[in-house]
Amino acid sequence: MNVVCLAGGTGGAKLADGLAQILSPAELTIVVNTGDDFRQSGLLVCPDLDAVMAMLAGVNAEREAESWYSLRSQWLAEGRSLTAVTHYLCQQVHIQHNLLPMSDHPVPTEIVTADGRTLSVHAWFTQEDSPAVAQMRFPDNARATPQVMKRLERADLVIIAPSNPFVSIDPILNVYPIRAMLEDIPQAVIAVAPMLDETLGKMMQGMGMDVAVTAVANHYGDLIDGFIYDLQQAVELDHAGITTLCVNTLMQTADDRCRLAQNVLNFAQQFVIHNS
């Protein structure tokens, strides 16, 4: 089975690592958000790519950060693509699974605040008191790489990791033609709900949404076939056409990550077999 995982942030990195413990490099591709990339002292920082790389490699992201930022920026300046640079960095830390940025070009996500300001994701998160979010804004010219499209064309299953839906997953879905490919090609698209922490709750409230797992399921809507959420979020989901699974989704250890990944794959089998 060919699996593509859409990921960003800590939750996405953890599930990606769990899947990588179970699936071979030939079976798993991880497509990562780059909408929150930013420049720091002239060097390109890719927070989500770095988080996933660090988790897969079992290294400390902060310890590797300076080296990764420097090498990435140097190689990009030499004309290499972000996809190629990411591949080289993965080789350095012995990651065998295919880790792909969603796009090779800058595709910055913008946050429009309730008081009318437009901030980058990095700027919003680093505000001492992050302002209320009114809406998210994505580039209208974002294009997926040939490598991402090739992997999606072969995908039997797409897993949406328990990442922030608005700053990690929606930017990926906005990249042409990823959303359309998810609607047409995979036998199943399964989403795992993120934990509704204070930051995500503040975003949801600002955009007029209930801070509830049902709102996350409704946000993904008809794009998904199945939805997995945590026991602590146990509710009766009333969303026609979506089959749900309520399990422990906390991933505090490597065993936890592997357990959840296996639960996701087992849950997805019913859709893959049904649609075969």
Side-chain angles (χ1 to χ4, degrees), residues 60-95:
N60 185 301
E62 292 185 5
R63 190 181 306 124
E64 300 291 336
E66 186 174 344
S67 172
W68 286 351
Y69 302 167
S70 179
L71 288 171
R72 177 186 293 129
S73 302
Q74 175 187 333
W75 288 337
L76 287 171
E78 292 172 356
R80 306 184 196 190
S81 68
L82 183 57
T83 297
V85 169
T86 301
H87 176 69
Y88 298 145
L89 290 175
C90 285
Q91 285 184 317
Q92 286 200 338
V93 289
H94 310 293
I95 294 173

Side-chain angles (χ1 to χ4, degrees), residues 137-181:
R137 185 179 293 159
F138 308 108
D140 57 11
N141 61 344
R143 295 293 183 270
T145 66
Q147 294 87 346
V148 167
M149 290 189 288
K150 180 178 179 180
R151 293 290 175 159
L152 286 174
E153 285 170 356
R154 298 172 49 207
D156 302 303
L157 169 65
V158 172
I159 298 169
I160 297 176
S163 308
N164 185 307
F166 312 108
V167 298
S168 289
I169 301 301
D170 281 355
I172 301 176
L173 298 176
N174 177 70
V175 175
Y176 179 84
I178 292 179
R179 179 181 286 273
M181 294 184 78

Side-chain angles (χ1 to χ4, degrees), residues 80-249:
R80 306 184 196 190
S81 68
L82 183 57
T83 297
V85 169
T86 301
H87 176 69
Y88 298 145
L89 290 175
C90 285
Q91 285 184 317
Q92 286 200 338
V93 289
H94 310 293
I95 294 173
Q96 297 182 342
H97 288 79
N98 205 1
L99 183 61
L100 299 174
M102 66 187 193
S103 179
D104 276 334
H105 304 287
V107 282
T109 298
E110 294 180 332
I111 296 177
V112 181
T113 66
D115 58 7
R117 286 179 289 164
T118 299
L119 302 174
S120 68
V121 175
H122 175 66
W124 188 84
F125 272 98
T126 53
Q127 296 272 316
E128 186 172 337
D129 183 19
S130 301
V133 175
Q135 67 179 86
M136 311 299 299
R137 185 179 293 159
F138 308 108
D140 57 11
N141 61 344
R143 295 293 183 270
T145 66
Q147 294 87 346
V148 167
M149 290 189 288
K150 180 178 179 180
R151 293 290 175 159
L152 286 174
E153 285 170 356
R154 298 172 49 207
D156 302 303
L157 169 65
V158 172
I159 298 169
I160 297 176
S163 308
N164 185 307
F166 312 108
V167 298
S168 289
I169 301 301
D170 281 355
I172 301 176
L173 298 176
N174 177 70
V175 175
Y176 179 84
I178 292 179
R179 179 181 286 273
M181 294 184 78
L182 263 60
E183 291 171 346
D184 294 338
I185 295 175
Q187 295 179 44
V189 178
I190 306 296
V192 183
M195 291 297 174
L196 302 178
D197 60 17
E198 183 179 353
T199 299
L200 179 53
K202 186 170 186 176
M203 285 187 167
M204 296 174 77
Q205 286 179 324
M207 293 185 285
M209 302 171 66
D210 292 333
V211 183
V213 70
T214 51
V216 178
N218 290 333
H219 179 72
Y220 289 132
D222 294 338
L223 183 67
I224 61 175
D225 301 291
F227 187 72
I228 299 174
Y229 58 102
D230 188 70
L231 294 169
Q232 296 180 24
Q233 303 166 329
V235 292
E236 184 175 339
L237 281 166
D238 182 18
H239 194 87
I242 295 183
T243 304
T244 62
L245 175 67
C246 185
V247 294
N248 180 8
T249 66

Side-chain angles (χ1 to χ4, degrees), residues 9-19 21 55 161-163 192-195 230 248-262 264:
T10 303
K14 288 181 176 181
L15 182 59
D17 181 59
L19 291 167
Q21 294 182 53
M55 187 67 67
S163 308
V192 183
M195 291 297 174
D230 188 70
N248 180 8
T249 66
L250 287 174
M251 295 179 285
Q252 297 177 323
T253 67
D255 286 344
D256 291 341
R257 299 195 288 271
C258 190
R259 170 191 45 76
L260 179 58
Q262 190 64 67
V264 174

